[in-house]
Amino acid sequence: HCAVLFARAIPRIRTRVLEQGLVTCLMSCLDDFAVSLDQPQANGKIDWPIWLAPAILLLDVMAQPIVAFPEGCDDETKDTPTHHEELELVRMEHRRKASSLTEM
């Protein structure tokens, strides 16, 4: 689970998973497991494989849409501050709070 959740945060992982054909392999494994559920077990219990939950989670992550922002997206960024401006705003806020605390 942890590896899938961590990999979700890395943008290139989705591409690598698709390039390596892991989705097809996982789907094949899940299909084989689903077929095995139709066959009766000797003890009547279903033995759930340990890889089932992470495999389904990875398929769910791969099915989520990608939020992509085009490089030339100027319409929305005109009014938003740049990273440098944001840093300066945070610094000014810290100075104001520090000075208000020293006045107390």
Side-chain angles (χ1 to χ4, degrees):
H1 265 43
C2 292
V4 172
L5 294 176
F6 179 73
R8 179 177 62 180
I10 302 172
R12 292 193 167 219
I13 292 295
R14 182 184 297 257
T15 308
R16 298 285 184 215
V17 167
L18 292 173
E19 285 175 351
Q20 298 298 320
L22 292 177
V23 172
T24 306
C25 293
L26 286 175
M27 290 301 294
S28 176
C29 291
L30 288 171
D31 188 43
D32 289 344
F33 176 70
V35 168
S36 74
L37 289 176
D38 293 337
Q39 301 167 356
Q41 302 291 328
N43 57 5
K45 291 177 21 179
I46 298 173
D47 292 328
W48 297 100
I50 197 166
W51 53 265
L52 185 63
I56 293 173
L57 180 62
L58 181 60
L59 290 175
D60 181 52
V61 166
M62 293 301 294
Q64 298 297 320
I66 298 175
V67 178
F69 300 100
E71 295 294 326
C73 159
D74 292 335
D75 295 338
E76 296 176 7
T77 58
K78 287 181 181 175
D79 296 332
T80 59
T82 63
H83 292 293
H84 181 65
E85 292 169 344
E86 286 182 16
L87 181 59
E88 281 303 313
L89 289 172
V90 170
R91 285 181 181 163
M92 287 174 23
E93 180 68 24
H94 280 265
R95 286 184 196 132
R96 270 187 282 157
K97 288 184 178 183
S99 66
S100 68
L101 288 175
T102 56
E103 290 174 2
M104 293 180 165

